[in-house]
Amino acid sequence: MAQQKQNQQPGHIAAKIELTLHTRQSLKVFRGRKADPENDVVEIKGMQIFTGLIKDIWLDMIDGNPFARWWIYKYEQALKDTQQDILKLTNEVNDIVKPYEAAIDLSRSEATKPVTVTINYASPYSYKLVYLLIEIDQLIARMLTLKHMGLLTPAQFESIRKNLMGTFYRCMYSVTKYKSIKGLTDAELDKNTELAQQAIEAMGQPPELITSGSYIPELMPNQPRARIVGFHHRPKPADTEPSTKKKSVAKAKQSPSNTKTGKGSQDDSSTE
């Protein structure tokens, strides 16, 4: 018994991760919106659908699928582009505030009753979207305060908001045209097998950067998939990350449109 206790190892790390959002705009991106044909309201896919797609691509990448690796590369580039766009728009807002920041603290704006949601994603790449959403949420909250104070006109606010939403949705939709083909590897692609031809027909010819093996994904695990926490098998949707059901995935792969979890009502999430 003493020897057994000495050989015991700690189990998997489990964490409760909560995301707090302060604006209705950001909450709409996270939750999405149901369609209402009678009032000409189109459905907006929530961020959760895209995090599920990213997870599937990430798992295929770990299995050695070169097309999944290519799509992760595209996603990494989209993340960088979106980060640059957010930085540019943030600087635009900072320039408006600069003449007054010595006398008035305009650095932070928060909702009186923010909405908190629990998130638990399988892939680290899914969290990359969360970090972008946090930046957008903080910037929009600040912009709402500046609009209230007359430092930002309604037209300026709407222009920056649309640009923020546009760049974020382009980033999310960068993963939607991926087609998972089981058993596809670099060796299959090199031999131009039937699986490889099927993939090329569906997704195009991968560039040399991918086929040469010179590109290594930023968050490529350094352990076999079977040893990664939570990946002894394909995880089932037991947490807050929704399953990517065929119907939902098919809808998400359509052309983008501007996009309910948590406490409080949607109206309570904005400082406006």
Side-chain angles (χ1 to χ4, degrees):
M1 180 65 71
Q3 184 66 30
Q4 275 186 335
K5 287 185 177 181
Q6 189 175 1
N7 292 334
Q8 283 181 344
Q9 298 293 326
H12 297 324
I13 299 296
K16 183 180 180 181
I17 304 173
E18 293 184 330
L19 170 65
T20 299
L21 296 173
H22 294 267
T23 67
R24 287 178 293 179
Q25 293 86 350
S26 298
L27 190 61
K28 184 188 292 186
V29 171
F30 183 84
R31 289 177 171 173
R33 182 182 67 192
K34 292 182 179 180
D36 184 1
E38 292 183 3
N39 295 308
D40 294 326
V41 175
V42 298
E43 181 182 16
I44 296 175
K45 298 300 177 186
M47 194 178 82
Q48 303 288 72
I49 292 294
F50 297 93
T51 57
L53 292 172
I54 292 166
K55 175 200 68 177
D56 291 340
I57 296 170
W58 185 67
L59 290 175
D60 283 354
M61 179 196 73
I62 295 171
D63 285 342
N65 186 321
F67 286 82
R69 193 164 65 247
W70 184 17
W71 248 250
I72 288 293
Y73 171 76
K74 291 182 177 184
Y75 177 55
E76 286 182 351
Q77 297 308 304
L79 286 169
K80 291 176 183 177
D81 290 343
T82 301
Q83 186 68 64
Q84 287 298 314
D85 289 341
I86 293 174
L87 179 60
K88 181 180 178 181
L89 293 167
T90 300
N91 288 337
E92 187 176 330
V93 173
N94 288 342
D95 289 341
I96 295 171
V97 173
K98 194 171 183 178
Y100 314 102
E101 61 185 2
I104 306 176
D105 184 4
L106 300 171
S107 61
R108 192 172 182 84
S109 299
E110 296 180 341
T112 56
K113 190 177 179 183
V115 173
T116 299
V117 294
T118 301
I119 56 175
N120 185 16
Y121 299 132
S123 166
Y125 279 105
S126 295
Y127 285 99
K128 293 287 189 177
L129 281 182
V130 175
Y131 308 144
L132 292 178
L133 184 61
I134 291 170
E135 290 188 51
I136 289 173
D137 184 60
Q138 291 174 347
L139 182 56
I140 291 179
R142 190 180 180 203
M143 287 163 52
L144 286 166
T145 299
L146 297 179
K147 185 175 72 166
H148 173 73
M149 296 176 67
L151 290 176
L152 203 63
T153 68
Q156 286 175 314
F157 174 88
E158 191 61 18
S159 175
I160 297 173
R161 184 200 67 80
K162 284 183 177 179
N163 285 330
L164 283 170
M165 294 298 104
T167 190
F168 188 78
Y169 275 99
R170 283 193 296 274
C171 183
M172 288 200 297
Y173 273 88
S174 69
V175 301
T176 56
K177 294 183 179 180
Y178 176 76
K179 180 180 179 181
S180 181
I181 299 176
K182 303 309 172 190
L184 184 58
T185 62
D186 286 293
E188 293 280 331
L189 186 60
D190 289 341
K191 296 175 183 177
N192 196 28
T193 63
E194 184 177 341
L195 279 180
Q197 292 175 20
Q198 181 183 345
I200 291 171
E201 183 178 350
M203 293 175 279
Q205 179 68 47
E208 185 179 353
L209 177 70
I210 302 301
T211 58
S212 66
S214 58
Y215 163 68
I216 299 176
E218 179 185 344
L219 299 177
M220 183 70 181
N222 56 8
Q223 299 183 66
R225 172 170 151 175
R227 295 185 59 191
I228 299 174
V229 173
F231 291 106
H232 301 296
H233 54 79
R234 286 262 181 175
K236 294 182 179 180
D239 54 20
T240 57
E241 177 169 317
S243 64
T244 51
K245 296 180 181 179
K246 291 183 179 178
K247 184 176 180 181
S248 297
V249 171
K251 287 185 179 180
K253 291 184 178 180
Q254 297 172 357
S255 59
S257 58
N258 288 342
T259 318
K260 201 170 173 186
T261 306
K263 307 167 186 174
S265 69
Q266 186 163 341
D267 291 337
D268 291 332
S269 66
S270 174
T271 57
E272 188 174 21

